[in-house]
């Protein structure tokens, strides 16, 4: 007869064999393929019942607005603080760069009120971006003729970056005729 020491008790082999046989029987009886399938169905129903598969809200369809001309005065109202009807009654943010008006509304955390570039919202940001003077948007017409070639290159880089990321809404003009 074989003797095993289990948790400070001496158990004869026959008792150990009975315990092992009991565990095997329990596993065989209760962990069958049918029980696994029923368990899977139960887990799926709980998953559906508590809504763990809720989808994140999808982004709104992009606005299909016609291109238009903006004066500096018209551009001011697109600073992220005014409700704009053609923007689904949302607060739109437009910035002009080298006379091109970009819709920066999707970047509101950067360009909207309280953002690090909020000074550009509703303004011509050309000189500020070219000279890296953040937040110094122009309220008066600035043709940027006095910029150095390096500053012009920086301005073009910003314009190209924005054109790939943000929709163009029109162009900045000195006056409407």
């Amino acid at each position: 007869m074989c003797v095993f020491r289990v948790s400070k008790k001496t158990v004869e082999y026959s008792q150990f064999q009975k315990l092992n046989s009991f565990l095997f029987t329990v596993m065989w009886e209760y962990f069958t393929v049918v029980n696994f399938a029923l368990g899977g169905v139960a887990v799926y129903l709980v998953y559906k019942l508590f809504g763990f598969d809720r989808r994140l809200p999808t982004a709104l369809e992009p606005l299909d607005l016609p291109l238009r001309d903006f004066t500096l005065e018209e551009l001011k109202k697109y600073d992220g603080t005014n409700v704009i009807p053609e923007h689904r009654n949302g607060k739109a943010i437009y910035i002009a760069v080298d006379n091109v008006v970009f819709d920066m509304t999707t970047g509101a955390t950067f360009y909207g009120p309280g953002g690090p570039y909020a000074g550009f919202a509703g303004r011509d940001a050309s000189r500020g971006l070219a000279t890296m003077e953040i937040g110094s948007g122009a309220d008066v017409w600035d043709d940027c003729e006095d910029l150095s070639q390096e500053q012009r290159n920086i301005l073009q880089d910003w314009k190209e970056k924005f054109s790939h990321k943000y929709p163009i809404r029109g162009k900045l003009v000195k006056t409407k005729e």
Side-chain angles (χ1 to χ4, degrees):
M1 178 176 357
C2 225
V3 177
F4 292 96
R5 184 153 179 94
V6 178
S7 69
K8 297 184 179 180
K9 289 187 178 180
T10 304
V11 179
E12 291 182 14
Y13 178 72
S14 61
Q15 289 175 332
F16 185 73
Q17 190 177 13
K18 287 179 185 175
L19 179 63
N20 192 18
S21 176
F22 173 74
L23 291 174
F24 180 75
T25 304
V26 168
M27 286 178 58
W28 184 258
E29 292 292 324
Y30 296 106
F31 296 114
T32 63
V33 174
V34 172
N35 285 336
F36 276 119
L38 289 174
V41 168
V43 168
Y44 175 77
L45 290 175
V46 168
Y47 177 81
K48 284 300 198 179
L49 179 67
F50 290 106
F52 295 114
D53 72 335
R54 300 255 192 267
R55 303 287 189 262
L56 293 174
T58 57
L60 294 173
E61 291 295 318
L63 295 171
D64 188 24
L65 299 175
L67 296 177
R68 58 176 271 217
D69 293 343
F70 292 88
T71 63
L72 283 169
E73 193 61 37
E74 291 172 329
L75 190 61
K76 283 182 184 179
K77 75 177 185 175
Y78 294 91
D79 64 355
T81 61
N82 302 308
V83 174
I84 309 296
E86 64 265 18
H87 256 272
R88 297 185 184 104
N89 288 320
K91 296 179 179 181
I93 302 167
Y94 287 7
I95 292 176
V97 178
D98 196 24
N99 298 332
V100 176
V101 177
F102 293 97
D103 184 347
M104 311 298 263
T105 307
T106 58
T109 55
F110 292 105
Y111 303 101
Y117 302 103
F120 291 150
R123 295 174 154 173
D124 181 4
S126 301
R127 182 170 296 276
L129 291 172
T131 60
M132 299 308 292
E133 293 176 18
I134 305 303
S136 61
D139 288 324
V140 294
W141 183 259
D142 184 2
D143 56 16
C144 297
E145 285 183 359
D146 60 334
L147 293 178
S148 69
Q149 187 58 44
E150 182 182 352
Q151 290 171 331
R152 287 187 182 283
N153 291 341
I154 291 170
L155 182 60
Q156 288 306 311
D157 289 345
W158 279 107
K159 184 177 172 182
E160 186 176 331
K161 176 184 175 184
F162 289 160
S163 67
H164 292 296
K165 191 170 184 179
Y166 299 106
I168 295 173
R169 295 297 180 214
K171 64 181 182 177
L172 186 64
V173 295
K174 192 169 186 174
T175 58
K176 286 190 176 179
E177 298 178 45

